[in-house]
Amino acid sequence: MKPRVFNHVNNISRLRELRKEEWHAGLRVGFVPTMGALHEGHITLIRQAVKENNNVVVSIYVNPTQFGVNEDLSSYPKTLESDLEQIRRICLECLKDSSVGQVTTVFTPTTDAMYPNLKPTSEIEGHGSFVTITPLASMLEGASRPVFFRGVATVCMKLFNIVQPDNVYFGQKDVQQTYVIRRMVEDFHLNTQVHVVPTVRESNGLAMSSRNVYLGERRLAVATVFIRSLQEAEQAFKRGKHRRLDLLDAFNKVFVSEQEKQRALPKSRRAMFDVDYISLADPRDLTELDQVRPEIGAIMSGAFKMMPIEDPQDGEKTGLGGDKTTVRLIDNLRLNPISPSGVQHSNVLSDLD
């Protein structure tokens, strides 16, 4: 019989006791690692996990080692009570559906528990026990955020060792992260299966992110520029454009046009933004491409920054913090393979899952 409520655990020993009971009972366990501030993207991962496992563990832990020295660790949204309430609602859904499993444990460890010896550091040359996955972790996001994937791989290795899941679930929005985690699982022979779930988007197309809470209505409306630019490149690919130059031109057609449009507006109405990086990569290993092979396709990804609102207006709906900080967002789109007959395969996860 499914439990009506989950175990809220912050002690590693207690989690291992629960996991041992599940192992002896022959139960299949899924795991969804999160940093909290749950949104519909996280909920989709949890719902996928309960479909495919008897029991599901969700972790909520803001990991300090994946934030750079000058990044937004202290201001990262922390909404534990709201997160727990959302998970309770999923538990009630599961009780009504005999075909799915249940969220049985929410794990909220402390940093002292996760890093029991040296204090965690975000210094590039800092001391500690880290997992590094190169060259994957030094490309793209890793070039902009040099300690990010070291922190992600390290905390995921710790969590996987603690939870010992049969299956783990990640979102496609963080596409490079999925490659880093899969490489780590393969290279260290971890006994878990990595599942990648399609990106969940806001009604306007913006990829859901915990950082979206920092965007007020003005920046939210303009932030769709990145996915619209990616979609323009996707259409160019479908029309037979395979050169990097042509695909980036298609991207910039939308991106630069929107930049010029915003610059022309008065400060009281505009929302400025800039690109951090844009990548056109081989879906097999994320190496950059000059020419896309249509039978293989590509992953187009990148990061962009929504700049602070310059002249907020009285009564304007602003984001958390009043739209006063730069918000860095990421997104990606798969240019799906096209067969020799001209048919485009629609399974965006075909090379990831």
Side-chain angles (χ1 to χ4, degrees):
M1 180 177 293
K2 296 178 189 176
R4 296 188 63 85
V5 295
F6 53 78
N7 295 290
H8 183 186
V9 177
N10 54 29
N11 181 279
I12 293 174
S13 297
R14 175 58 181 152
L15 181 61
R16 284 180 164 158
E17 289 173 5
L18 293 170
R19 187 64 186 93
K20 188 178 294 185
E21 292 172 8
E22 293 168 332
W23 186 82
H24 283 299
L27 298 175
R28 189 173 178 84
V29 174
F31 177 44
V32 181
T34 83
M35 293 210 302
L38 301 186
H39 52 68
E40 193 58 34
H42 299 110
I43 302 306
T44 298
L45 294 178
I46 297 170
R47 287 196 174 110
Q48 187 67 31
V50 297
K51 286 180 182 178
E52 298 176 355
N53 300 275
N54 304 111
N55 290 0
V56 171
V57 178
V58 178
S59 67
I60 298 174
Y61 175 63
V62 181
N63 173 41
T65 63
Q66 66 194 67
F67 290 81
V69 173
N70 298 314
E71 290 182 354
D72 57 351
L73 172 61
S74 62
S75 62
Y76 193 86
K78 299 173 182 65
T79 57
L80 181 60
E81 288 308 313
S82 171
D83 296 340
L84 295 176
E85 182 56 34
Q86 291 187 74
I87 297 171
R88 288 187 192 101
R89 289 199 291 268
I90 294 177
C91 289
L92 292 176
E93 291 176 14
C94 293
L95 285 172
K96 300 173 184 177
D97 187 348
S98 61
S99 69
V100 302
Q102 179 63 290
V103 179
T104 53
T105 304
V106 175
F107 182 45
T108 57
T110 64
T111 293
D112 285 343
M114 293 300 290
Y115 294 87
N117 292 307
L118 295 180
K119 182 180 179 181
T121 178
S122 294
E123 300 284 347
I124 294 175
E125 301 300 328
H127 296 295
S129 301
F130 299 114
V131 178
T132 56
I133 310 295
T134 57
L136 272 176
S138 57
M139 302 155 53
L140 308 178
E141 279 292 289
S144 294
R145 306 176 68 191
V147 301
F148 176 65
F149 286 120
R150 183 184 74 179
V152 168
T154 298
V155 78
C156 283
M157 177 69 87
K158 290 170 180 278
L159 289 168
F160 293 178
N161 282 334
I162 294 165
V163 178
Q164 297 286 305
D166 297 292
N167 299 290
V168 294
Y169 296 83
F170 293 89
Q172 172 74 5
K173 181 189 71 102
D174 303 289
V175 63
Q176 189 177 359
Q177 175 176 272
T178 67
Y179 280 76
V180 169
I181 296 302
R182 176 157 288 153
R183 179 70 60 82
M184 181 184 78
V185 166
E186 292 174 354
D187 284 353
F188 289 94
H189 305 285
L190 303 182
N191 190 25
T192 190
Q193 180 72 32
V194 180
H195 299 267
V196 180
V197 178
T199 301
V200 178
R201 299 187 177 276
E202 307 280 0
S203 59
N204 65 359
L206 181 67
M208 287 194 174
S209 167
S210 297
R211 289 184 169 87
N212 290 357
V213 298
Y214 296 115
L215 303 177
E217 58 185 1
R218 199 192 311 183
R219 292 203 291 181
L220 274 173
V222 175
T224 61
V225 63
F226 200 81
I227 185 59
R228 291 189 283 113
S229 302
L230 291 175
Q231 289 168 339
E232 184 68 25
E234 179 187 36
Q235 291 305 311
F237 177 69
K238 290 179 178 179
R239 294 192 299 267
K241 302 292 186 181
H242 301 148
R243 293 193 310 155
R244 180 186 188 88
L245 180 62
D246 293 332
L247 295 171
L248 291 183
D249 279 349
F251 175 92
N252 285 323
K253 176 183 175 182
V254 174
F255 196 85
V256 174
S257 175
E258 184 65 36
Q259 280 183 316
E260 292 172 351
K261 174 184 173 182
Q262 293 300 315
R263 285 195 191 99
L265 292 173
K267 292 182 179 180
S268 61
R269 292 175 53 201
R270 71 188 184 189
M272 299 304 295
F273 59 90
D274 204 358
V275 70
D276 188 348
Y277 71 88
I278 183 73
S279 165
L280 181 69
D282 191 311
R284 297 169 295 185
D285 58 11
L286 291 187
T287 55
E288 292 297 310
L289 296 172
D290 291 322
Q291 181 90 15
V292 179
R293 290 172 57 185
E295 71 276 14
I296 294 176
I299 292 177
M300 202 164 187
S301 65
F304 65 108
K305 296 177 180 179
M306 295 302 304
M307 311 309 289
I309 292 297
E310 299 163 276
D311 184 13
Q313 300 298 291
D314 291 340
E316 181 176 2
K317 186 176 180 181
T318 58
L320 185 66
D323 277 322
K324 295 178 182 179
T325 59
T326 298
V327 179
R328 184 179 183 276
L329 301 170
I330 62 173
D331 206 346
N332 66 86
L333 201 61
R334 174 69 186 270
L335 306 183
N336 289 318
I338 299 173
S339 69
S341 63
V343 176
Q344 187 170 40
H345 303 291
S346 60
N347 181 8
V348 297
L349 301 178
S350 58
D351 290 316
L352 298 179
D353 215 12

